[in-house]
Amino acid sequence: MGWPLERLRRVRFVRRFSRTERTLHWVNAAGFLLLLASGLILYLPRLSVLVGRRPLIKDVHLWGGIGWIGALAIVVLLGDRRGILRTARELEVLEPSRFNVGQKVNALLNAAFALLFLVSGLLLWFGERDTRFRFTSTVLLHDILMYAALTLLVGHLYLAVIHPATRHSLRGMTRGTVREDWAKRHYPRWAPPPAD
Ligand code: HEM
């Protein structure tokens, strides 16, 4: 008797994401999903008719976009800035470490997309008020970004929530820790700090 306790004792956890990293991720995800939903309502004629209230949805989309980037900046400014800088440096080098190559490419693309979404979105907004800011391909860029970001998101959600081998990662993004044996198997080159 007593073996379940033994087994429980052997399950050790290591720290995967700091509080700042997790806050940044979830603020980013919430903002992105709000913009995706409001953007799709503006973009798809059927949804547009179904929901109506176009001026309101447009306001939600515009201020949601500004709020999204602003909220990310606030999390970085008030959070563990050094830790975020360390993570950014880790992501710059494509060799696997705490993240595999796919995750690094995903993170870099997400950062580039956020910037391009912001620039093209602001140009669309200014363009409505001043013809000097009107360019023929701004709408196209904004739309292509949406398709690309949506494709990445579907893959990301599959790995984070459905795929049996990888979905344990969700614990890292919610509680901050993952099982040590899982970490060793998935990230052999990562030397994780123990969970406190
Ligand atoms: C709303 C549902 C979402 C869930 C459940 C989710 C889940 C996760 C998990 C579990 C990780 C950690 C993977 C690891 O252990 O390394 C992660 C990382 C990450 N997530 Fe999400 N995420 C969501 C939405 C988003 C959205 C909307 C974006 C961006 C638009 C995003 C961008 C990222 C990035 C850039 C990373 C770091 C690199 C990577 O692991 O690919 N996530 N997410």
Side-chain angles (χ1 to χ4, degrees), residues 3 5-13 180-181:
W3 68 269
L5 251 186
E6 274 295 298
R7 254 179 54 180
L8 263 184
R9 238 177 252 139
R10 253 182 268 141
V11 179
R12 291 225 305 256
F13 290 92
E180 190 180 36
D181 62 310

Side-chain angles (χ1 to χ4, degrees), residues 16-17 25-26 28-29 32-33 98-99 102-104 106-107 110 153 156-157 160-161 169-171 173 182 187:
R16 179 139 181 86
F17 291 113
H25 176 269
W26 292 119
N28 182 39
F32 182 89
L33 293 176
R98 175 158 66 120
F99 302 102
Q103 288 177 312
K104 290 186 177 195
N106 184 41
N110 270 293
L153 179 66
H156 182 62
L157 287 185
V161 192
S169 63
L170 194 52
R171 187 192 154 107
M173 212 29 112
W182 182 89
Y187 305 95

